[in-house]
Structure formats: structure tokens, C-alpha cells
Amino acid sequence: MKKLLNTLFVTLPDAYLSLDGENVVVKVNEEIARRIPLHNLEAICTFGYTGVSPALMGACAKRHINLTFMTRNGNFLARVTGEIRGNVVLRKEQYRISDDERKSALVARNFILGKIYNSRWILERATRDHPLRVDVEKMKSISKSLFQTIQAVREVEDLEQLRGLEGNAAAQYYSVFDDLILQQKDHFSFQGRTKRPPLDHVNALLSFTYTLLANDMKAALENVGLDAYVGFLHRDRPGRASLALDMMEELRSVYADRFVLSLINKRTISHQGFFRKENGAVIMDDDTRRSVLAAWQERKQEKIQHPYLNEKISWGLVPHAQALLLARTVRGDLDEYPPFLWK
């Protein structure tokens, strides 16, 4: 359980939530694990499967406390709300910002700033931890260039210019991504990003992991009441969760890429768990996919110190924390969106 930005996250699978007076009571195996006053909460998000009492649902609806149900894997199931009020105002402001390209750029540049900052951190970390196994001079050169790009991104007020800076930074980062693969080099090498379809083992892992991250981000946005399909950097396209794609940018390298590298470098998976289709696409077999999903769920349980909130939370709650911060930015409670800058 974690109370974060006036939202109670219940991650225990066998927790049952009920109402006692003006308090939400969290019970595990009939024992009270925690009691929290309702007036301290703006939302409750539960990842358990045991349930919530009808009395608590009614109390949350009456007090305009969003009650959201997630699967254990973090997929959005449903939200219980009372009379519609806050989400409509929040979403209308989100749509206003999205319709204004300059305002969109002012928000989106912090997503990209976070992405480039974290990509640079990955490279700096590699030169520190493996100075004898990576080309330090090449890594430092790319890191310096990324730092200069960060300075440029801070001043951008145009979406096309922002996309250009982001694309150039991504190309530089991926140009040394292969150097970060330290084990199983005969079968896991990276010569460039290929998406539809992925043409090698590494790209197959990246594409699958990015999909998992996008789904987690989409669920987090649904939880706070934002429209995951209306973005700022990624523009509207039918069926595309543009805002989820926007927000996952800052987490790609530090969350998803590090996860893929750990699978390879720790030999959690092997090349034997992949096969190539007639069109050249490289796909994971069922056993490997299950192994990746299990490792992803384990990674989401790992505790970290959130760099902006300065609170200890699990990796799995990072998308939710960032979604809450974005909602507060859209509402005008924060002057600008604070990206996740990993340290």
C-alpha cells in the first residue's frame, strides 16, 4: 500500500477495502492492515482481486473520490465515480492544450527533456560501471552531444523543431546501444531500430517491452482521468493512445531499455526462444514471452526513490506518479510538468 499525492494505491493482491465511519479500511486475511480518513484522499486505485465493499463505493462516489480497479498486471478495468465534475474540466483543458501547438510543445518538451536526460544517464552509467568493456571515449562523445541537445530542448516552442531534436538524440543513443550488450553477443546484437516488424532478437524484445510500458502508461492516465488518446507530441490518430506514447518517452531508456539489457546480460533469456517468420519478423516463442512477462512483473515491484517526489515507490507506480503530476499540471496546480529524471 502506498499513499501518493493524495491517492491511495493498494497493490496487495488479497486486500479487501471497506468503510468504517469516515475511514477506508484495508483488510488482509480479515486483519486490518491500514485505516485512512477519506477526507485525506482524492482517489483510490486497487490492484487486488478481493474487492471493495458497496458501502465504500457509495462513500467514494458521494465524496467525488475516484475509485479505480486494475488487474494485477496493471491493466485498467473500471472506475467508479459519482456525479461527473472534475474529469470533464480536466479533459476539456487537456483538449485545449492539445489543440494549441505552442502550448502542446511547452508540455511535450519536458517529456523529451526527460527522455534525453535518462538516455544520457544510461551511457554515463555504462562508462562508470564497465570502463574496460565499453568504448568510453565514444560514449562520452555521445553523452556530450546529448547534453547540448538538452539545452536546446529547454528553449523549444515549436513541435516540429522538438521532433527534430528528439529524433536526432534517439539516433545518437541507438548508435551506441549495441555497446551496452555485454553478453550473448553472437546472438544479440543491435544494428538499428526496426519496428514493424522487428528484424532481430533485440528489437523483438524492445518492441514487446515498449508495448508493455505503453499499456501501463495508458492505464495510469485512465486512472487520473486524462484522455490517453489525446496527446501533445504525438498528434491525434484513430486508435492510437497518443498521450500514453508521449509520456512513456521519458521512461523508455531508464525503465524499458535497462530491463531488456538486463534480460540479455543476465542470460534470463536465450536466442533459442525466438523464431523468424517468412516476412523476416523475429518473434518470441510462448515460453520466452512468459519469462519476459514474469521478469517485467518482478521489476515493477522493485523499490526506487522518486527523484521529484522524494518518496520510495515501486517501479510499477512510476507511470501513475507521472500521470498524477501531469494531471496537476493540466489543472494549473503546477507551473510545468516535472519529468522523471533518474539519478
Side-chain angles (χ1 to χ4, degrees):
M1 290 173 289
K2 182 69 179 178
K3 186 169 175 287
L4 184 67
L5 295 175
N6 299 111
T7 297
L8 175 64
F9 291 95
V10 183
T11 56
L12 300 172
D14 52 355
Y16 182 78
L17 281 65
S18 62
L19 182 69
D20 182 12
E22 292 295 309
N23 301 292
V24 54
V25 176
V26 182
K27 293 183 178 179
V28 179
N29 298 325
E30 301 300 324
E31 297 290 330
I32 296 178
R34 191 164 181 182
R35 184 189 302 269
I36 301 171
L38 282 174
H39 69 262
N40 287 341
L41 298 174
E42 294 179 3
I44 300 172
C45 181
T46 177
F47 294 79
Y49 53 74
T50 305
V52 175
S53 72
L56 179 59
M57 290 186 194
C60 288
K62 181 179 178 180
R63 293 164 177 78
H64 302 288
I65 300 172
N66 282 342
L67 177 58
T68 306
F69 296 88
M70 301 281 194
T71 68
R72 286 292 299 145
N73 292 333
N75 294 324
F76 177 82
L77 284 176
R79 183 190 306 111
V80 176
T81 60
E83 180 182 356
I84 299 299
R85 58 175 194 123
N87 286 352
V88 168
V89 175
L90 177 66
R91 290 196 178 203
K92 286 184 72 174
E93 185 59 31
Q94 177 189 355
Y95 300 151
R96 290 190 191 101
I97 296 172
S98 180
D99 286 340
D100 187 317
E101 290 207 357
R102 179 181 175 275
K103 289 183 178 179
S104 292
L106 295 180
V107 177
R109 70 184 183 186
N110 280 15
F111 301 148
I112 301 308
L113 189 151
K115 175 179 183 176
I116 301 174
Y117 178 99
N118 289 329
S119 297
R120 182 171 180 263
W121 180 88
I122 294 289
L123 304 186
E124 289 290 339
R125 179 75 177 264
T127 62
R128 185 193 72 187
D129 293 349
H130 308 287
L132 301 180
R133 304 186 67 182
V134 301
D135 188 332
V136 173
E137 184 177 349
K138 180 170 66 172
M139 292 276 190
K140 288 290 186 180
S141 175
I142 297 295
S143 176
K144 181 180 179 180
S145 179
L146 292 178
F147 178 77
Q148 293 170 345
T149 304
I150 289 173
Q151 307 311 308
V153 167
R154 293 180 187 275
E155 307 300 325
V156 169
E157 296 186 7
D158 177 79
L159 280 177
E160 284 304 314
Q161 185 181 359
L162 180 61
R163 292 190 185 102
L165 291 170
E166 184 274 332
N168 181 61
Q172 292 186 73
Y173 167 71
Y174 281 132
S175 73
V176 292
F177 191 80
D178 187 63
D179 296 49
L180 302 175
I181 300 172
L182 305 177
Q183 301 290 339
Q184 307 188 79
K185 293 289 287 188
D186 289 343
H187 302 287
F188 289 91
S189 64
F190 183 84
Q191 304 305 319
R193 185 78 177 102
T194 56
K195 304 176 184 178
R196 302 179 185 89
L199 299 178
D200 57 55
H201 299 144
V202 178
N203 274 291
L205 286 168
L206 288 174
S207 292
F208 185 66
T209 304
Y210 289 162
T211 299
L212 295 177
L213 179 57
N215 288 336
D216 288 348
M217 199 71 250
K218 179 175 178 291
L221 292 166
E222 293 282 358
N223 177 43
V224 301
L226 288 165
D227 191 333
Y229 290 85
V230 178
F232 304 126
L233 180 67
H234 293 81
R235 308 311 283 173
D236 296 347
R237 181 184 297 175
R240 182 172 74 177
S242 296
L243 186 57
L245 296 178
D246 282 357
M247 293 201 66
M248 69 177 278
E249 292 292 350
E250 62 195 275
L251 299 178
R252 279 183 189 268
S253 60
V254 75
Y255 195 168
D257 293 355
R258 286 179 66 234
F259 172 74
V260 168
L261 290 169
S262 71
L263 291 177
I264 299 170
N265 290 336
K266 293 181 179 180
R267 300 180 182 271
T268 303
I269 46 91
S270 75
H271 70 283
Q272 296 175 339
F274 297 78
F275 62 92
R276 188 179 298 275
K277 299 177 69 175
E278 292 182 359
N279 66 351
V282 174
I283 307 295
M284 287 181 282
D285 63 24
D286 290 342
D287 287 341
T288 299
R289 189 177 294 108
R290 281 192 289 269
S291 296
V292 173
L293 286 170
W296 181 255
Q297 290 304 115
E298 289 180 10
R299 175 60 61 89
K300 287 167 67 172
Q301 303 306 313
E302 292 181 6
K303 299 292 184 181
I304 64 162
Q305 190 81 7
H306 193 283
Y308 177 79
L309 300 174
N310 199 30
E311 289 192 43
K312 185 158 287 192
I313 63 174
S314 65
W315 268 114
L317 289 185
V318 170
H320 293 268
Q322 296 308 119
L324 284 166
L325 290 170
L326 180 62
R328 293 194 169 194
T329 303
V330 171
R331 285 198 300 263
D333 298 337
L334 294 173
D335 292 335
E336 62 177 325
Y337 170 73
F340 183 84
L341 305 178
W342 188 230
K343 301 175 181 178

